[in-house]
């Protein structure tokens, strides 16, 4: 008797095979999570040059596209040379070269202006630190003379802090001097490894920029090969949305932070704030972190200014409040727009969660990542509601107590209140139908 092959056998065989593989993976993850974590960390460590290259290429792409579209290609078109593959390669090559030159010139000018001032500021802080301490002590003594109760509280806190610091140094720091030195040396070695990875990544980024259209085409080719056309179209559209949200937020936030740093430097120079350049760099860099960033930079800067001149510290705090109001209400929305689509609560939520998981980097990229996840979940919810012929707006659900089988909204009425009459309930239904008419299929 001849055996007839049935596709259902293949289907159930694949289901069983993948079920066994999933069970093995679940067991391995559950009982060997440390080994898996070490393997993931090792893979990431090995892949860091490639990751750096992808990040650098992603950040340089908008600059290169602008240079190619507005400078190199118009000049090439004026030369009336026919377009070929070689000419396209030449255009891309010149665009990459100009992009690298522009970035290096800007970086060199920036660091040549900032670093000497930072070094002078740090040296001044180190040399004049005893004087700052004496100034702060004299100011505090004058404050305590007028407030004896405050002096007693501060003295108690100082004595307790001194005792705790002494115990900490004797019991924790001194016995671990060797481990601290080893950690410092490891940190130095890690810094040089990171710089080497950055150099390799920069070289990789050049290759990525030169063939970014081909890589994008290959990725879309793979998607359309393994998915049907509607699903593949949706995947491509989702990737474009991720790029728009993530890239728009990061580039906009960088521009916003640069402008805030410049404004801070101009204002601090006018009011005579000590270490204006150092403080402005701190404010500009930390401003990249949404919501909490300005205060992360303002607090240490204010303490530094307080040691030099308490009155200038007060002026500086007022200035930061004004600048942040300007940034949050005018400059930020103008540059970023509604790039994330998140409310204030979800911004704080994403910063807190991602910051706790990944540190400062998580605080920077947490908002756009969560915005993408939020938008994806929102689209899924709206699609399921549309299949059920229910409104996708949130407002009708704010007053709903139940929904009938005919998709009629019934308002929630607390038990203590009188129930609505049939006439009132009918009016509510009519109002909902007028505001949120059902879409025709």
């Amino acid at each position: 008797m001849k055996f007839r092959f049935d596709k259902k056998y293949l289907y159930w065989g694949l289901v069983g095979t993948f079920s066994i593989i999933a069970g093995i993976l679940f067991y391995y993850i559950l009982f060997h999570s440390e080994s898996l974590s070490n393997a993931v960390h090792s893979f990431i460590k090995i892949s860091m040059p490639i990751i750096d290259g992808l990040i650098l290429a992603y950040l340089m792409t908008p600059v290169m596209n602008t240079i190619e579209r507005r400078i190199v290609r118009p000049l090439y078109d004026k030369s009336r040379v026919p377009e070929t593959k070689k000419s396209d390669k030449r255009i891309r090559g010149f665009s990459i070269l100009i992009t690298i030159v522009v970035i290096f010139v800007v970086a060199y000018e920036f660091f040549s202006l900032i670093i000497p001032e930072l070094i002078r500021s740090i040296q001044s802080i180190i040399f004049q630190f005893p004087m700052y301490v004496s100034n702060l002590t004299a100011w505090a003594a004058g404050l305590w003379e007028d407030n004896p109760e405050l002096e007693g509280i501060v003295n108690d806190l100082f004595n307790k802090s001194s005792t705790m610091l002494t115990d900490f140094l004797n019991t924790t720091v001194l016995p671990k001097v060797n481990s601290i030195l080893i950690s410092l040396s490891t940190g130095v070695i890690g810094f040089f490894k990171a710089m080497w990875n950055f150099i390799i990544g920069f070289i990789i980024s050049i290759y990525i920029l030169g063939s970014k259209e081909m890589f994008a085409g290959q990725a879309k080719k793979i998607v359309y090969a393994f998915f049907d056309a509607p699903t593949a179209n949706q995947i491509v559209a989702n990737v474009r949305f991720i790029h728009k949200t993530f890239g728009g937020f990061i580039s906009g936030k960088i521009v916003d932070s640069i402008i805030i740093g410049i404004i801070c430097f101009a204002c601090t120079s006018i009011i005579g704030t000590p270490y204006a350049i150092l403080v402005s760099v701190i404010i500009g860099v930390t401003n990249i972190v949404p919501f909490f960033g300005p205060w992360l930079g303002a607090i240490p800067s204010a303490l530094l200014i307080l040691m030099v001149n308490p009155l200038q510290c007060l002026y500086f705090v007022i200035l930061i409040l004004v600048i942040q109001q300007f940034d949050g209400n005018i400059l930020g929305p103008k540059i970023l727009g509604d790039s994330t689509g998140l409310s204030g609560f979800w911004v704080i939520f994403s910063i807190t969660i991602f910051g706790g998981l990944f540190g400062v980097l998580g605080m920077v990229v947490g908002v756009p990542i969560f915005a993408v996840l939020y938008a994806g979940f929102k689209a899924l919810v709206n699609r399921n509601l549309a299949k059920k012929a229910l409104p996708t707006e949130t407002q009708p659900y704010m007053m709903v107590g139940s929904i009938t089988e005919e998709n009629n909204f019934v308002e929630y009425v607390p038990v203590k209140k009188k129930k609505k009459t049939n006439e009132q309930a009918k009016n509510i239904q009519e109002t909902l139908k007028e505001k949120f008419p059902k879409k025709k299929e």
Side-chain angles (χ1 to χ4, degrees):
M1 182 177 180
K2 189 176 180 181
F3 176 76
R4 291 184 177 180
F5 179 78
D6 197 336
K7 289 185 178 180
K8 68 178 182 180
Y9 295 120
L10 176 62
Y11 172 77
W12 286 112
L14 291 174
V15 169
T17 303
F18 284 116
S19 299
I20 294 171
I21 294 172
I24 294 173
L25 289 175
F26 178 76
Y27 171 82
Y28 190 82
I29 292 172
L30 188 63
F31 295 101
H32 299 84
S33 58
E34 186 175 354
S35 300
L36 182 63
S37 177
N38 292 334
V40 171
H41 284 297
S42 298
F43 178 77
I44 293 175
K45 188 176 180 181
I46 294 170
S47 306
M48 276 310 297
I50 299 174
I51 295 173
D52 289 343
L54 291 171
I55 294 173
L56 288 172
Y58 187 78
L59 294 176
M60 288 193 293
T61 294
V63 181
M64 189 202 71
N65 288 341
T66 303
I67 291 173
E68 180 176 328
R69 184 174 61 253
R70 297 186 178 182
I71 299 176
V72 179
R73 191 166 290 279
L75 291 175
Y76 188 84
D77 291 340
K78 289 180 180 179
S79 62
R80 298 180 181 179
V81 178
E83 292 188 5
T84 60
K85 288 185 177 181
K86 288 185 177 181
S87 64
D88 289 339
K89 288 183 178 180
R90 291 194 194 99
I91 292 172
R92 178 55 54 83
F94 282 122
S95 301
I96 294 173
L97 180 62
I98 296 173
T99 302
I100 294 172
V101 171
V102 168
I103 291 174
F104 269 99
V105 169
V106 172
Y108 175 78
E109 293 295 330
F110 175 78
F111 287 114
S112 63
L113 175 66
I114 297 297
I115 289 180
E117 293 295 331
L118 292 180
I119 292 174
R120 281 196 289 270
S121 299
I122 294 171
Q123 288 176 343
S124 176
I125 293 171
I126 294 172
F127 293 144
Q128 300 184 23
F129 186 77
M131 185 183 70
Y132 296 156
V133 173
S134 62
N135 291 339
L136 186 61
T137 304
W139 174 76
L143 181 64
W144 294 341
E145 287 180 0
D146 299 330
N147 301 278
E149 295 179 356
L150 180 62
E151 181 180 4
I153 295 172
V154 172
N155 286 332
D156 291 339
L157 290 174
F158 181 75
N159 293 331
K160 291 180 181 179
S161 301
S162 300
T163 304
M164 292 174 61
L165 180 61
T166 303
D167 294 339
F168 174 74
L169 292 174
N170 292 330
T171 59
T172 305
V173 177
L174 292 178
K176 296 182 179 180
V177 171
N178 291 332
S179 61
I180 292 173
L181 292 176
I182 293 172
S183 299
L184 289 174
S185 61
T186 304
V188 172
I189 294 172
F191 172 77
F192 283 108
K193 285 184 178 179
M195 291 301 299
W196 176 251
N197 290 337
F198 181 82
I199 294 172
I200 301 298
F202 181 76
I203 297 172
I204 292 173
S205 68
I206 295 175
Y207 285 96
I208 295 173
L209 289 173
S211 305
K212 62 185 182 69
E213 290 84 4
M214 184 188 69
F215 292 136
Q218 289 174 342
K220 285 186 262 187
K221 178 181 176 182
I222 293 171
V223 171
Y224 282 102
F226 287 95
F227 298 95
D228 55 44
T231 304
N233 291 336
Q234 189 62 43
I235 293 173
V236 173
N238 291 338
V239 172
R240 288 198 180 102
F241 172 77
I242 293 171
H243 165 66
K244 180 182 177 182
T245 302
F246 194 87
F249 179 85
I250 294 298
S251 59
K253 198 62 183 172
I254 291 173
V255 173
D256 175 70
S257 299
I258 293 173
I259 295 174
I260 289 297
I262 294 172
I263 293 174
C264 182
F265 173 69
C267 294
T268 50
S269 300
I270 292 172
I271 65 176
T273 304
Y275 309 117
I277 290 183
L278 177 61
V279 168
S280 302
V281 170
I282 294 173
I283 295 297
V285 171
T286 56
N287 193 70
I288 296 176
V289 178
F291 196 81
F292 296 113
W295 305 111
L296 293 176
I299 291 173
S301 301
L303 293 176
L304 176 63
I305 298 169
L306 179 65
M307 291 191 298
V308 182
N309 190 328
L311 187 59
Q312 283 290 338
C313 177
L314 177 62
Y315 294 157
F316 174 75
V317 171
I318 296 173
L319 174 65
I320 292 299
L321 289 173
V322 174
I323 289 177
Q324 292 311 317
Q325 289 299 317
F326 168 74
D327 183 31
N329 297 311
I330 299 175
L331 182 63
K334 188 72 175 178
I335 295 176
L336 298 174
D338 193 20
S339 59
T340 60
L342 297 178
S343 63
F345 169 77
W346 291 119
V347 171
I348 298 173
F349 176 85
S350 59
I351 292 172
T352 303
I353 298 300
F354 283 89
L357 292 174
F358 306 107
V360 178
L361 180 61
M363 297 177 73
V364 175
V365 301
V367 174
I369 290 176
F370 186 81
V372 170
L373 298 176
Y374 181 89
F377 185 73
K378 181 180 177 181
L380 179 63
V381 170
N382 290 343
R383 184 173 60 186
N384 290 335
L385 289 173
K387 287 180 180 179
K388 298 177 181 180
L390 291 171
T392 57
E393 296 83 1
T394 304
Q395 186 177 353
Y397 299 94
M398 294 170 65
M399 61 183 78
V400 70
S402 61
I403 300 177
T404 64
E405 293 182 357
E406 294 80 14
N407 289 344
N408 293 322
F409 282 66
V410 180
E411 184 182 13
Y412 170 72
V413 180
V415 178
K416 292 183 180 180
K417 293 184 178 180
K418 293 181 179 180
K419 294 184 178 180
K420 301 286 185 182
T421 62
N422 293 333
E423 188 66 28
Q424 289 172 323
K426 186 177 180 181
N427 292 335
I428 292 171
Q429 290 296 330
E430 294 297 329
T431 303
L432 284 172
K433 287 180 180 179
E434 290 177 3
K435 290 186 176 180
F436 306 100
K438 293 181 182 179
K439 297 179 180 179
K440 296 182 180 180
E441 295 183 358

